[in-house]
Structures are given as structure tokens and as C-alpha cells.
Amino acid sequence: MWLLSTDRAELHFFISPESVSEPGYASLSHVWDAEEQSFQDLQALRAECAVSGQNPRDLVSEKIRRCCELAQAQGYAWLWADTCCIDKSSSAELSEAINSMFRYYSLADVCYVYLRDVPTEGAFVGDYTGSSPFRDSRWHRRGWTLQELLAPSVVFFLSASWESLGSKVDLAEQLEEATGIPQSVLRLQTKLANISVAQRMSWAAFRQTTRPEDEAYCLMGIFDVNMPTLYGEGRRAFQRLQEEIMKRNTDTTLFAWGRRFDFDQLQQSSEPVTSSLFSTSPFPFRACAGLVFHERSAGSKPPMQRPRKTGGGPVSFSITPHGVLAHVPVADYRGWTFADLGWSENGQRVMLALAQRRRGVSDLSHPIYNICGEYRLVRIPTSKHKGCSLLRAPSMRTTWKNIYLSHRPAQSPAQSSLPAIPINHCVAAPFRFPERRIANFARLANGSLESIQNAELPWEGDPPTTFTFRISNVNFLVITVGRCAVPPTPTVFNDRPPAPMWANLQWNPAEDTTLTNMAAHDCATDHVMEWQELKKTFVLLPENTARKGYKFFTLSFTRCPLSSSGTLILDVSVEERFSTRCPCQSNPYSSYSSSTSTLASVCSSCWGDVHELSSNLPRGDILRGLGKPAEHAADASRPVPTSPPASPSSIVSFKRIMRAIGHCSRT
């Protein structure tokens, strides 16, 4: 490894971290700026200073100089920084450094975390949403900084002016709020190896990396695995990471990503959506913080009472061309098949839902199962038996079996996986929705494209084109693009311009909705050319869910540079934001999100300010978990509005909601 001398900022080579003489070395953790000095920059600077006689430390960037000065003042002769202590021109050295980085940080005597976006004064002062400069720092949202927080024993946080904010132990409570990592881990009371795989993955769910491969590479040390780095493989790197974890770890929560459903919510489908054993990124693990793994070993009783079973363990997995060959307990319950992998959440058992593949290779010695896509993880109903306080699933028989589990992730965005879209094949079409963007949106929304209607040429826009996405087994999202039926005003030359294009989103349209109804739109809000920057954001208020979050869908159009006829290119993005409290600062409620933006909600007393938005806004979703209406002495005479009528979930304009919230009398 290469280290910087703190007195001159010159690079020196050491065989290993252990070969550094006492008192060891310090390390730097930070968010990279647009311009950072590299290994080659410092070597060139050293050569220049050898001629001029200057101290290279006086000429390096302020970040490196200030960190060297701080480390030297604390008695350290050496410093490791990832910007300049890795020769990235050598692929072998880069791969070695990435595989060793967790070790580099863990063996450092101290790690300095420099937070450029956090001032010293007011670093922990929160606003009405609960946010503070420290909690909102970009450092908490970067992928590589996760291991830089977990690996070192001693971590000091520094403000933008290089003043101390506290240590990892001192700030354990604030760090838990910002990152989701339990205080016991930050205070070194719980070993990292004792945390389930799924929970460790959940810490990385909302973190971002510049390159998709780094989503996997930055987690290798956290799971104590090593593998070659192959930049250019994309998200295949994250599957390789999971395969390595599976080989080295008996913790099966590696497969416990995705939403959980109660058994009563399950619905049989003639064409069930399938999933894969492995996830495509850390994001699907975002809700796994409370998942517990109970390891099963041969000859030992499981920690939680199990139903009657035949055969025996332990659980094992191995990669084959046909899938993952698994030796697992398989349970059949009320027409459904589950793999019981020893998971529980809040004392309730969670199982992996399976669907046996009916087609494919028939001469295999073991059956092949797909993973259910709509209902991947299922909470099994439990009942207390007389004289026994342990929970047991009724009428369930579990048998140990050797089965193949589909382990390939869903097909990556590719044109061949989607139906032909004629309007995408013509340069002069009024609009295009490229296949890659369709597939990318389906991935972001954790759904799939269900159907496309009226996308043929020539495109007149009446009836409109509809893109229907299945978001879950019961939820659908429909994007509609058409032309307004109201004829535009003729010009002085009697030339009638083309009818204006409009677009909107619909969430779970009624089953009897016809194309005529789909063509209905609001001329005041849906005409694309009247949108600011040709963009419009819709907010989804989900009904019948405990999630205190809003989903934002943004339709955006850009002009095609190849078309002379004004062709527009459609793209759709999705973002989820979480509420923490009402704008009036009353009725705070618990809702955690490590890195998403915060959007204020409204309490029952403020409901009147947004009541006129839509008769479809379900009051229960906004107020769920808030308890009784707050009593405001200042407005004791103000009546609490009644709830709007019950109705399906709806999508309304984000601007209208923010405008109403902005007029709340208590903001």
C-alpha cells in the first residue's frame, strides 16, 4: 500500500498495513470533489519540488494539506487517502486496493471524516422536518463511505472548517438516524458479523455510487468476501457479490429482499409474475432492518418452534447451470409452496414463496422452482398452542428437499424483451418512448410493462397511446399520451396547426375504463407544451398501506435533435420521499429514510388547507399513525374538516399539493 508522509505529503510504499511502524497511520474519509489530486499528480509534484526545494505539502490541495497537518499534530507520520494513494493506472493495483480497502481502514489508528457541507455552528440543529446539516450531509449517501464508517474503531468527524464535531461513539444516536446503523454497532458493542446479511444490505439501500459496479465492490469488506473487479460488467457485479456471500455465509437472509405480505393478502394468478433468488441492487433490501435469521444446524433444535418436518439439514446452496441447487425445508400450505429459511420479523415467521416451473428441462433429478414475483416474502399466520408460548404455523408440513431455485435476475433492459413499438422506429413520429427508457422505468418502479396500445403509425393521437405497467399483483400505472380533440385556432393564413399533445398518469384506472374515458384530459394541466421545461411531476398517495411515503412520478419530454418535425422523447422517473411531521410542527411521527428528500405532511388540523385538492385524497393515508387531532390553543375555534369520501388511490399534481401546503397557516 502507498502512504503519504504527513510532514511532506510524499508517497511511500509499504508491503502491508501491518508493516507501518508505530504509532501506525491515519486515514481520510470524504466525498470526492469534481477535481481531486491523483497518484500521478502527487508523484509529479514530488519531482518538481525535488528541483525547486519546496515542500510538496505546501502545494497539494487544501484537503490533503489540512489532513496531513492534523494527522501530524496528533503524532502520525503517515496518512492514507483513497484519492492519491492508489495508482489507478494499474488495474492490478486498483483491484488489490478495492479488495483490501476495508482492511486498510480497519487497521488505521484513526479515521478523519471530512464533511465539506456541514458547518461547525448549527451542525446538529434540526428544522421542523427533523433534518440537520449533519444528517443531510452527502457523506451519508455515498456507497464507499459505508465501510469507512464501519471498519475503523476510532472515527472523528470534522466540519467544513476542519473543527471537531465528535467521534463515531459520541455521535452514535445521530448516525443511527442518518444511516440506519444500530447504535450498538457504532459503539462497538455488537460485532458486524453478528448482524444479518439482509440488515447489512439495508444500510446500503439508499446509498449511491458513480458506477454501477461499485454498488457491489464497496460492500465486499462488509461481508468479508473478495472477488476480481471487472469494470464494465455493470450490475452483474452485484450478483457475483451475492454468489460469493452465499458461498461463505450460512445466513439465508441474503434472499430476503423485497416487500413482505401477510398470508391473507395472497391471490392466485393464472400467469404469476416470477422473480429471481438474487437481487439486482441493494435497494430492494431497504425494509430489511428488522429481519432476524435463526440458523439451523443438524442435530439442534431451531430457536423458534417449527412445524412437523421430515428429513434434515443443514441448509445448503450451490450454483449450477440450472439454478441454485438448494437443500431446504419446503412447506405446502393452503395451495401455496414456501421455502422455510429460518426468518422472522417481530416474532412472526417469514417465508420465501415458490412456484414450481412447469416448462423447461424435464429430465432433471430435482424440480425447478421460480420465486414468486408479486408475493416474494410472506408472513405466515401463527397460533399459540395450549400450554406453549411458542408460535407455530397451523396445518403446515415441512419437508427437506433438494430443489433448483431460479437465480438469474430478471432480464436486463433490452429491446427484444418488449413488444414492437412502431412509433419508436420513425424519426418523424410526434413522440417516442424508447424501449430502454421503458425498461429502466419498470425497473425503478419495481414493476413490469403489461401492455402498449395505439402506438401504430401514422400516429394521430386519438385514441391516445397507453403504456400500462404492473407495479404489483393489484396495482397498475397507466401513462397516456394523445392529442387534444379541441381544434386549435386557425392562423391568419387559414393553416390549422396540429392539435396540442397531452400526457398524464393514472393509478389503477377502473376496469371498465374505455379508450374514450382514457382520452379525457384536463386541457389546463395536461398539455405538454405548457409544462415548465416540458416536465410535470405527479405524487401518488397510496391507500391501505402503513408506509408514510409519497411516490413521485415525473413525465419529461425532450426534443429529438435528429427530427425536423419537433419529435419529443418521453422519459419517466420515480422517486420516493418520506414524511416526518406536519408543517405546523405538531404531531411528529416515526418514519425513517436514510437519504431521500423529506416532504412535509399535514395533520388533521391543517387538512382544510389541502382539502380542496381532490376528493380522491384519502385522509387516512396522510394521517395514519398521527393519533388524535392536535389541539391548537391559537386556533381552538377552527373546526376540523371532515374526511373526504373513501376512494381509490389517486395521483395529483405535485405543484398543487406543495402550493396548498405552502399556504398552511402554521408553516
Side-chain angles (χ1 to χ4, degrees):
M1 67 183 300
W2 292 90
L3 292 175
L4 281 172
S5 59
T6 56
D7 59 341
R8 293 183 57 82
E10 294 178 335
L11 288 163
H12 294 261
F13 183 77
F14 292 81
I15 297 298
S16 66
E18 292 85 354
S19 63
V20 181
S21 58
E22 293 294 334
Y25 63 94
S27 60
L28 171 65
S29 175
H30 63 109
V31 175
W32 281 42
D33 297 321
E35 297 292 333
E36 293 282 359
Q37 287 182 312
S38 66
F39 178 91
Q40 286 73 23
D41 293 334
L42 264 66
Q43 291 290 54
L45 189 60
R46 179 178 186 176
E48 293 174 8
C49 291
V51 176
S52 64
Q54 292 179 282
N55 186 341
R57 193 177 77 174
D58 298 332
L59 304 177
V60 296
S61 66
E62 181 186 10
K63 185 190 297 184
I64 295 176
R65 176 177 58 81
R66 293 291 295 270
C67 195
C68 284
E69 292 172 349
L70 178 60
Q72 185 182 30
Q74 291 197 325
Y76 296 103
W78 305 104
L79 172 72
W80 192 84
D82 57 355
T83 53
C84 56
C85 292
I86 303 174
D87 183 3
K88 300 178 182 64
S89 64
S90 169
S91 58
E93 183 169 332
L94 177 61
S95 181
E96 179 184 356
I98 290 175
N99 276 271
S100 305
M101 201 171 293
F102 188 90
R103 182 163 156 258
Y104 289 170
Y105 280 105
S106 63
L107 294 178
D109 276 51
V110 63
C111 178
Y112 303 118
V113 175
Y114 175 58
L115 306 177
R116 180 183 291 276
D117 53 356
V118 179
T120 304
E121 296 296 330
F124 304 101
V125 178
D127 58 14
Y128 69 85
T129 67
S131 297
S132 66
F134 180 81
R135 180 172 179 173
D136 290 342
S137 174
R138 288 183 60 215
W139 188 85
H140 298 306
R141 303 195 297 271
R142 301 304 298 171
W144 287 103
T145 57
L146 178 59
Q147 66 175 356
E148 296 162 14
L149 173 63
L150 295 171
S153 299
V154 180
V155 179
F156 292 135
F157 289 88
L158 306 170
S159 68
S161 56
W162 291 88
E163 297 178 75
S164 176
L165 298 174
S167 70
K168 176 169 71 172
V169 174
D170 299 331
L171 304 176
E173 183 177 352
Q174 291 89 336
L175 287 169
E176 182 180 33
E177 293 177 355
T179 66
I181 302 173
Q183 296 183 41
S184 60
V185 176
L186 298 169
R187 292 193 171 112
L188 310 180
Q189 298 166 343
T190 301
K191 293 183 178 180
L192 192 61
N194 294 335
I195 303 296
S196 72
V197 169
Q199 186 172 359
R200 279 180 273 176
M201 283 287 188
S202 72
W203 302 339
F206 293 102
R207 291 177 177 261
Q208 302 170 348
T209 58
T210 303
R211 304 191 63 165
E213 296 88 350
D214 287 335
E215 285 184 344
Y217 301 159
C218 71
L219 299 177
M220 290 194 295
I222 294 174
F223 294 102
D224 193 24
V225 300
N226 296 100
M227 63 184 193
T229 57
L230 305 171
Y231 282 102
E233 64 175 331
R235 296 191 180 276
R236 163 67 178 152
F238 192 72
Q239 178 169 336
R240 287 201 298 124
L241 172 70
Q242 294 171 93
E243 292 174 358
E244 292 299 323
I245 295 173
M246 185 186 70
K247 295 175 185 177
R248 297 176 58 90
N249 204 316
T250 59
D251 184 347
T252 60
T253 60
L254 173 66
F255 314 127
W257 51 272
R259 292 181 58 192
R260 256 90 68 203
F261 294 86
D262 293 326
F263 183 83
D264 294 339
Q265 295 178 279
L266 303 191
Q267 297 179 3
Q268 292 282 5
S269 174
S270 57
E271 295 183 4
V273 178
T274 61
S275 178
S276 66
L277 193 61
F278 295 130
S279 175
T280 56
S281 73
F283 183 71
F285 288 92
R286 61 192 179 278
C288 294
L291 204 66
V292 178
F293 170 63
H294 305 280
E295 184 170 6
R296 290 175 148 186
S297 58
S300 64
K301 293 183 179 180
M304 185 178 292
Q305 182 68 36
R306 302 292 176 185
R308 185 160 51 97
K309 58 184 180 292
T310 61
V315 172
S316 64
F317 302 91
S318 59
I319 298 288
T320 76
H322 305 295
V324 173
L325 178 58
H327 180 65
V328 295
V330 177
D332 292 310
Y333 183 62
R334 298 182 183 178
W336 292 83
T337 302
F338 303 99
D340 185 1
L341 301 179
W343 306 333
S344 68
E345 186 176 45
N346 299 324
Q348 190 172 14
R349 293 170 58 195
V350 179
M351 293 189 183
L352 184 68
L354 305 178
Q356 186 167 359
R357 189 184 299 176
R358 302 300 180 185
R359 293 173 295 178
V361 182
S362 59
D363 57 349
L364 295 176
S365 56
H366 309 298
I368 301 179
Y369 284 86
N370 289 321
I371 313 298
C372 288
E374 305 102 325
Y375 309 108
R376 179 186 176 84
L377 305 180
V378 180
R379 302 183 189 95
I380 302 300
T382 55
S383 61
K384 288 189 177 182
H385 291 261
K386 187 175 181 180
C388 178
S389 61
L390 296 175
L391 299 177
R392 175 179 298 173
S395 305
M396 180 181 289
R397 180 184 180 88
T398 303
T399 305
W400 286 85
K401 293 183 179 180
N402 292 321
I403 61 175
Y404 289 106
L405 296 174
S406 175
H407 68 298
R408 298 295 181 191
Q411 189 174 3
S412 60
Q415 284 87 352
S416 60
S417 64
L418 298 175
I421 307 176
I423 59 173
N424 284 344
H425 305 155
C426 178
V427 175
F431 86 98
R432 297 201 300 271
F433 193 2
E435 285 85 347
R436 184 175 295 275
R437 297 190 182 189
I438 292 175
N440 184 60
F441 170 69
R443 179 183 61 81
L444 293 175
N446 292 322
S448 60
L449 180 67
E450 185 77 6
S451 66
I452 302 174
Q453 292 181 304
N454 306 316
E456 296 81 13
L457 291 171
W459 189 81
E460 301 294 339
D462 187 15
T465 301
T466 60
F467 302 87
T468 303
F469 294 86
R470 179 192 288 269
I471 306 302
S472 67
N473 190 54
V474 295
N475 291 321
F476 292 86
L477 177 71
V478 180
I479 300 172
T480 309
V481 182
R483 284 200 185 278
C484 186
V486 178
T489 304
T491 65
V492 294
F493 300 102
N494 243 358
D495 293 330
R496 188 177 298 277
M501 184 184 300
W502 60 269
N504 62 29
L505 287 163
Q506 296 187 55
W507 182 259
N508 288 337
E511 294 182 0
D512 58 351
T513 300
T514 63
L515 286 176
T516 302
N517 293 332
M518 296 291 288
H521 68 282
D522 187 347
C523 290
T525 60
D526 291 347
H527 285 192
V528 173
M529 301 308 296
E530 296 179 7
W531 295 352
Q532 186 175 3
E533 298 181 350
L534 302 183
K535 294 181 180 180
K536 184 176 180 181
T537 301
F538 301 81
V539 58
L540 167 65
L541 304 179
E543 192 176 19
N544 299 325
T545 175
R547 178 176 59 81
K548 304 179 182 68
Y550 302 87
K551 277 193 175 181
F552 294 83
F553 297 91
T554 300
L555 292 180
S556 61
F557 288 87
T558 56
R559 299 184 186 277
C560 176
L562 300 178
S563 174
S564 59
S565 58
T567 300
L568 298 178
I569 307 298
L570 172 62
D571 197 7
V572 190
S573 62
V574 59
E575 179 184 3
E576 186 166 10
R577 305 180 190 175
F578 293 84
S579 234
T580 56
R581 65 181 68 197
C582 173
C584 70
Q585 303 187 43
S586 66
N587 292 331
Y589 61 86
S590 174
S591 179
Y592 170 71
S593 173
S594 63
S595 63
T596 54
S597 303
T598 301
L599 174 67
S601 181
V602 290
C603 73
S604 56
S605 294
C606 298
W607 176 255
D609 296 308
V610 296
H611 187 218
E612 75 279 8
L613 286 178
S614 170
S615 61
N616 289 332
L617 290 180
R619 175 175 181 250
D621 290 330
I622 292 184
L623 306 181
R624 184 175 285 110
L626 293 178
K628 297 180 179 180
E631 297 295 336
H632 298 284
D635 291 317
S637 61
R638 179 181 178 179
V640 177
T642 59
S643 303
S647 62
S649 300
S650 60
I651 294 180
V652 295
S653 172
F654 171 52
K655 291 182 179 179
R656 296 177 65 196
I657 281 189
M658 292 308 295
R659 188 183 306 120
I661 291 178
H663 284 89
C664 177
S665 59
R666 298 179 181 84
T667 53

